[in-house]
Amino acid sequence: MTTNKAPHDACGTYQLYLSPKDDSFLCEAGNFCYPIDSIVIPNLYNTNAEGLINDGHCEIVNSGLSLQCKCVLGQFCLENSTSPQFCPEGYFCPDPRQLPKPAEDGHFVQLSSLGAAAGAQQAMSGWYYQEKCAQTSGCPGYCNTINSNPFVIILVVVGVFVFFISYQLKLKMTSRKVKHKADGWERAVVKRLSLKVASGLGDDADAIAAPAADESGAAEGITISFKNISRTLSKKEGGKKILSSVSSAFPASTLTAVMGPSGAGKTSLLTTLMVGDFDEGGSVTVNGEEVMMNHFRSVMGFVPQEDVMIRELTVREIITFQADLRLPAKFTYAQRQERVNVAIHDLGLGNVENSRIGDENSRGISGGQRKRVNVAMEMVTMPRILILDEPTSGLDSTSSLALADSISNLVKRDAMTAVAVIHQPSAEAFAVFDNVILLIPGGKVMFAGPVKDLMPYFDNLGYSCPTKTNPADHALNMASGIALRTNASKPELTPAQICTEWAKAKGADPQSIEVEGESEGEGGSEGEGEESEALTNVKQCCLCLPKLILGIFVRMFEVVCRSSTLMRRELSCCLKKDDKREVPGFLTQVKLCFNRAVTQYYGSWYNVVVDMFVHLVMGLLVQGSLANFGFIGSYQESYCVTLDAQFTPTCIAAQYFPYVAGGGFSIWAAAFACMTSASQTFGLETSTYLREYKTGMNTFAYFLGKWLADIPRMMILASVFYGALVAEFANMETTGFFYLNYLLIYFWAWPFGYLIESWVGYRLTPLYSVIVALLMLVIFAGVNTTLLPDVADNLRWLYDIWGIRWAMQALVVGQLKGYEFGQDLDGNEVPWNDITSTLETYGYETPEMKRMFWNQFAIGVGTVAAAGVFRVFAFGKKKI
């Protein structure tokens, strides 16, 4: 006997197959009957007819020859049925005594596609009621699918864009207010600046642009002298000597150029001096006292060759961040803003101060303007020492001259000590510099002195600068060994020979710039009767510590200080207190990094749209695998006992349980998309991070600020993914719990993206995210095995520390609980499916949902902490 389902344009025609009937005995509708001797002995339930009767499942009929057993919810048993039958696909069974009913318009029935036991040709649904379609979907009558409606997706997208537009309007209003104030401040600041510097007064909290002052109040410059600076690379790096006994000085209030051909060690010289990583025998003095240059890090500015800055921010935002981060903590907001306005005015950036820097995807300011911003980022911090690495590279001659002239004027006005590595400046730009140090390959000095004395020195050697030749080009030709003597009858000198001539001309201290107030051999003596200032201060510290006054410990401590850059930074208590500033504290730095990250991400249309698109696509891909999910439990015990042993395991197992594979796929997709997006947080600004770290920014403050700024981003992207996911998913859990589970997946998977990016780099993170997410899914989410395999109790924690294990359990348990109980015809709650045995079979526990959510939250916090620590160690070598 068959019953045809009414056809429908969208869904086609379906056949309803009924189980066989046996009219040889009577069996009431809503029950199924079979002879008592059909029970297989022994069976997995270890029961017989008497046991089934005592348990209330069955009763004896037909004069004691048969058992009559009840059909459960989701099944139907017509009169004289010999076995229970699950409600078929596209139908629901409100009354087990009647034929299944097709879904009505505006309703749907949860479906499956699994054939019934014993080879029957029906597809099972096991549903006892029809569900009304939610606003997120549409269901025509007699249909076995849910037609998705993009209502949720549209709602999420609209909400995000309303927030984004509001934030953009706020940024524009803030920029206008700042610009209005800046216009009023500019003239007053410049006038006040000139008066303060001219008078030589330098109160930190009042004279915004004046140099630092000593105790008497008089402005004092910093003169850096160095003697016998050599640097040999380690054997691992090739063992090459890149600096050879370099001795010279950077006088105060002057701009010194370091020149030479490629491989001459120009940048290596500055790096070695600042870090202190030079060979034994060298020394560095500041104003005649031997100290370690790292002590001056808070008042030192370094302008890298590359324009290292965040391209999504405006000129003013970038300079303001540096001012807030590095100016003394006692500066008020108004004073910091005043200093920003001074820097913008000094570098000629007023016409682009509210323009974004720009990158390959969005047009921004010009290359020359970026160079000026690069310098302004350091000038705004009122540095005492300014190091510039090829500031004019990539600029035309006019722009190079303008930039060099601006830097020279600021150096003299603010009493700075400035050093610039330059490659091939124009004649006009070269003339702006006060002093020059000319190096040859191998790190030897060919000349060190005032720029005005360079050409006369070469004239004396017989290498006059040809007419119409740039003096800087002639100097590089000399260092490269390609210049020709004016008098061809005399033999040519090699660059090494010219270095020897320079050493002879300078006598006992052959390679130094004469600095007024300093004599030869001052500072840096290594004699037994002389002790450096650092060693004296070490002794003073050790006097405070009993039993540590012995000279051997003092000497050991000095050696350690000389060899370890990191220790030099941390043990500054033993050094002379000179120019150390109190920069903003940890929480203030967290706030600054948070505000900048928010502006950086939400201030860009491109970032938001691309991020949302990736997660929307992933959600739409997953929703197809979750469409029409359902659950059909095992057959009842009263039926399984009649089957042969080979069919019993199939009978007692869940007949349809797609949540393991489908749910696992959705969690994997969410974790993968999450890790990929998280890699952008730090991966695109590693150079910026390293630059700011070297100026004193706290690494953990930076990390925490960026992570806090990512939390709203996680919520937005999780909402987009969830909106696409639920369009065709019949959720049996409350909407809040279901959404919270995916939100927590984003919470613990996001820092995994940080970890992967720190390990393999930004470009390879998407590839490794696929692998990591799959490994977690297969090993810890029970997709390839049970969720909790048989392991020793002391190893159980290896599974409990993974967020994916609790996310999978929350998803599966939460959904199956909706199938555990139903209502009979009288409205009473009755058992529907045996979910406990199914969960136990697959290794799932049934704790409270709150515990599973709290576990995911705790794992997310722990992963964030691990990502922060790993980042510190991963970039440790680069930071030093």
Side-chain angles (χ1 to χ4, degrees):
M1 173 182 175
T2 61
T3 301
N4 290 333
K5 182 180 178 181
H8 190 277
D9 293 340
C11 304
T13 303
Y14 296 90
Q15 297 290 326
L16 176 61
Y17 298 93
L18 303 180
S19 63
K21 294 178 62 178
D22 188 348
D23 294 330
S24 63
F25 59 88
L26 297 177
C27 189
E28 298 177 0
N31 297 274
F32 63 95
C33 301
Y34 55 83
I36 291 179
D37 57 10
S38 298
I39 298 176
V40 177
I41 302 295
N43 54 65
L44 291 181
Y45 293 97
N46 194 26
T47 188
N48 52 26
E50 183 178 355
L52 295 174
I53 295 171
N54 293 335
D55 291 338
H57 297 301
C58 305
E59 59 181 349
I60 295 178
V61 294
N62 297 324
S63 302
L65 299 177
S66 303
L67 282 180
Q68 177 175 280
C69 305
K70 299 177 182 178
C71 282
V72 298
L73 289 176
Q75 296 178 344
F76 70 97
C77 299
L78 301 182
E79 188 178 19
N80 298 340
S81 295
T82 58
S83 62
Q85 196 166 0
F86 281 106
C87 197
E89 179 183 1
Y91 291 77
F92 68 104
C93 300
D95 188 345
R97 298 169 298 183
Q98 300 176 1
L99 284 172
K101 297 181 179 181
E104 302 172 354
D105 285 336
H107 296 75
F108 74 98
V109 176
Q110 203 129 346
L111 310 173
S112 73
S113 59
L114 185 67
Q121 296 181 353
Q122 66 181 17
M124 294 185 299
S125 171
W127 216 251
Y128 73 96
Y129 66 94
Q130 62 178 355
E131 254 186 301
K132 189 173 182 180
C133 286
Q135 294 180 347
T136 60
S137 57
C139 311
Y142 306 103
C143 191
N144 67 337
T145 59
I146 307 170
N147 298 333
S148 60
N149 188 312
F151 176 79
V152 172
I153 301 174
I154 293 174
L155 185 63
V156 171
V157 172
V158 169
V160 170
F161 274 94
V162 168
F163 167 80
F164 181 76
I165 292 172
S166 301
Y167 189 80
Q168 289 285 329
L169 292 175
K170 178 184 176 182
L171 288 179
K172 289 184 178 181
M173 292 179 65
T174 303
S175 297
R176 290 178 181 176
K177 290 180 180 179
V178 171
K179 175 65 176 174
H180 179 70
K181 291 181 179 180
D183 292 338
W185 282 342
E186 186 171 331
R187 292 185 179 179
V189 169
V190 174
K191 181 178 179 181
R192 185 173 154 200
L193 171 64
S194 302
L195 292 174
K196 296 257 181 180
V197 175
S199 65
L201 298 177
D203 187 349
D204 262 350
D206 189 44
I208 303 301
D214 59 16
E215 294 179 358
S216 65
E220 180 185 7
I222 294 178
T223 295
I224 304 172
S225 301
F226 46 95
K227 181 179 179 181
N228 295 328
I229 300 298
S230 298
R231 171 83 188 281
T232 305
L233 299 177
S234 64
K235 292 182 179 180
K236 188 177 181 181
E237 297 173 315
K240 182 180 178 182
K241 193 167 189 176
I242 58 176
L243 293 175
S244 180
S245 299
V246 179
S247 299
S248 189
F250 303 138
S253 302
T254 60
L255 178 58
T256 302
V258 179
M259 293 180 59
S262 297
K266 304 182 293 296
T267 303
S268 298
L269 173 61
L270 298 183
T271 303
T272 300
L273 291 175
M274 297 306 110
V275 176
D277 186 19
F278 46 81
D279 297 344
E280 187 176 356
S283 63
V284 180
T285 64
V286 175
N287 291 344
E289 299 179 0
E290 186 175 357
V291 295
M292 294 176 290
M293 291 304 300
N294 278 326
H295 181 51
F296 295 90
R297 185 175 61 170
S298 62
V299 292
M300 185 185 301
F302 176 75
V303 180
Q305 179 179 350
E306 297 80 12
D307 302 327
V308 179
M309 60 193 72
I310 296 178
R311 303 303 180 91
E312 293 88 352
L313 302 182
T314 65
V315 171
R316 174 170 285 276
E317 288 168 347
I318 287 176
I319 299 175
T320 299
F321 179 82
Q322 296 298 322
D324 291 339
L325 178 67
R326 296 167 59 186
L327 284 175
K330 59 185 176 182
F331 269 39
T332 65
Y333 172 79
Q335 289 170 334
R336 290 195 301 271
Q337 286 300 312
E338 191 172 352
R339 182 62 204 169
V340 171
N341 292 328
V342 169
I344 290 175
H345 174 269
D346 288 342
L347 274 302
L349 296 168
N351 60 329
V352 293
E353 63 177 297
N354 291 314
S355 301
R356 298 189 188 281
I357 301 301
D359 54 18
E360 304 82 21
N361 300 311
S362 59
R363 184 182 178 89
I365 61 178
S366 66
Q369 290 167 335
R370 279 203 302 271
K371 288 288 184 182
R372 290 177 174 271
V373 174
N374 209 11
V375 176
M377 291 170 65
E378 302 302 323
M379 297 300 296
V380 73
T381 65
M382 301 165 51
R384 303 290 308 282
I385 303 169
L386 183 63
I387 311 282
L388 304 101
D389 188 6
E390 300 196 26
T392 59
S393 295
L395 300 181
D396 57 75
S397 58
T398 302
S399 299
S400 297
L401 175 60
L403 180 59
D405 193 54
S406 297
I407 295 173
S408 179
N409 292 334
L410 294 175
V411 166
K412 292 176 174 57
R413 188 194 72 185
D414 295 346
M416 285 188 293
T417 302
V419 187
V421 173
I422 56 175
H423 183 60
Q424 196 171 12
S426 63
E428 294 81 1
F430 185 57
V432 171
F433 290 87
D434 301 297
N435 301 305
V436 60
I437 299 176
L438 183 62
L439 302 175
I440 68 170
K444 295 182 179 180
V445 177
M446 177 177 279
F447 177 86
V451 171
K452 61 184 177 60
D453 294 341
L454 178 61
M455 291 301 107
Y457 174 70
F458 288 149
D459 290 341
N460 293 335
L461 294 176
Y463 287 90
S464 299
C465 181
T467 307
K468 296 183 180 180
T469 298
N470 181 356
D473 291 342
H474 182 63
L476 289 176
N477 290 339
M478 292 289 296
S480 301
I482 61 176
L484 299 177
R485 261 187 166 175
T486 307
N487 188 348
S489 61
K490 293 184 177 182
E492 299 290 342
L493 298 176
T494 64
Q497 290 173 330
I498 297 177
C499 291
T500 302
E501 291 295 328
W502 171 257
K504 290 179 180 179
K506 302 307 291 184
D509 192 13
Q511 297 174 328
S512 66
I513 298 177
E514 296 294 340
V515 180
E516 185 177 354
E518 289 192 278
S519 61
E520 293 183 5
E522 182 180 18
S525 173
E526 296 293 335
E528 279 297 312
E530 299 178 355
E531 293 179 326
S532 66
E533 183 69 17
L535 180 57
T536 302
N537 286 303
V538 170
K539 287 184 176 180
Q540 292 176 354
C541 284
C542 292
L543 287 174
C544 303
L545 304 174
K547 299 182 181 180
L548 293 180
I549 197 172
L550 296 176
I552 184 172
F553 290 102
V554 175
R555 184 62 63 183
M556 289 175 59
F557 190 82
E558 184 189 27
V559 171
V560 171
C561 283
R562 286 182 179 276
S563 62
S564 174
T565 299
L566 186 60
M567 186 172 291
R568 290 181 184 186
R569 293 180 179 176
E570 302 300 332
L571 299 180
S572 57
C573 64
C574 297
L575 306 174
K576 179 181 176 182
K577 186 175 181 181
D578 191 345
D579 282 300
K580 197 162 186 175
R581 291 179 181 173
E582 291 186 7
V583 295
F586 178 82
L587 293 180
T588 301
Q589 292 190 31
V590 171
K591 180 182 177 182
L592 292 174
C593 293
F594 170 79
N595 290 336
R596 181 178 67 172
V598 169
T599 303
Q600 175 186 357
Y601 178 75
Y602 301 104
S604 170
W605 284 91
Y606 180 82
N607 290 340
V608 175
V609 171
V610 170
D611 248 5
M612 291 179 58
F613 178 77
V614 170
H615 291 257
L616 179 64
V617 170
M618 291 302 297
L620 292 175
L621 289 175
V622 172
Q623 79 162 2
S625 66
L626 298 185
N628 307 322
F629 262 29
F631 173 74
I632 302 175
S634 62
Y635 279 95
Q636 52 266 56
E637 175 185 340
S638 56
Y639 173 66
C640 292
V641 295
T642 65
L643 300 179
D644 291 336
Q646 58 180 330
F647 297 114
T648 304
T650 303
C651 184
I652 65 175
Q655 302 301 296
Y656 184 55
F657 186 38
Y659 287 105
V660 172
F665 177 59
S666 71
I667 293 175
W668 169 85
F672 161 68
C674 195
M675 295 175 189
T676 302
S677 293
S679 66
Q680 302 173 10
T681 299
F682 298 102
L684 296 178
E685 56 182 74
T686 301
S687 299
T688 304
Y689 157 68
L690 293 175
R691 175 179 182 175
E692 292 171 349
Y693 170 83
K694 292 173 183 177
T695 62
M697 184 179 66
N698 185 287
T699 301
F700 289 102
Y702 168 77
F703 180 86
L704 185 58
K706 295 285 287 184
W707 176 70
L708 291 174
D710 271 351
I711 291 179
R713 184 179 169 200
M714 294 180 212
M715 298 178 67
I716 291 173
L717 298 181
S719 300
V720 173
F721 183 88
Y722 175 80
L725 179 71
V726 299
E728 293 191 5
F729 183 74
N731 179 30
M732 297 300 292
E733 182 59 275
T734 60
T735 302
F737 274 12
F738 190 56
Y739 171 72
L740 182 59
N741 193 44
Y742 279 92
L743 185 60
L744 288 170
I745 292 172
Y746 272 67
F747 183 75
W748 57 255
W750 198 273
F752 265 104
Y754 297 162
L755 285 168
I756 297 173
E757 185 274 325
S758 298
W759 177 35
V760 301
Y762 166 71
R763 297 184 182 279
L764 292 177
T765 298
L767 174 62
Y768 279 81
S769 296
V770 174
I771 299 172
V772 171
L774 278 176
L775 288 175
M776 289 194 299
L777 180 68
V778 173
I779 299 174
F780 302 107
V783 172
N784 194 39
T785 179
T786 57
L787 183 65
L788 289 176
D790 294 331
V791 294
D793 292 339
N794 59 346
L795 298 179
R796 168 69 180 273
W797 63 272
L798 291 174
Y799 291 85
D800 291 344
I801 62 174
W802 294 91
I804 198 169
R805 170 255 197 278
W806 297 103
M808 190 71 176
Q809 181 158 302
L811 174 64
V812 173
V813 173
Q815 293 299 317
L816 260 62
K817 280 188 174 181
Y819 298 91
E820 188 171 12
F821 296 97
Q823 293 182 344
D824 60 16
L825 296 176
D826 298 325
N828 301 317
E829 187 177 79
V830 295
W832 180 9
N833 289 291
D834 181 13
I835 68 168
T836 302
S837 60
T838 301
L839 292 174
E840 290 177 352
T841 301
Y842 285 88
Y844 287 84
E845 298 175 337
T846 56
E848 294 183 358
M849 296 296 291
K850 291 182 179 179
R851 178 191 165 191
M852 291 184 274
F853 291 154
W854 277 113
N855 286 346
Q856 291 189 68
F857 178 80
I859 291 170
V861 173
T863 309
V864 169
V869 173
F870 185 80
R871 175 162 292 274
V872 171
F873 283 99
F875 289 91
K877 293 183 179 180
K878 294 183 179 180
K879 291 185 291 189
I880 295 176

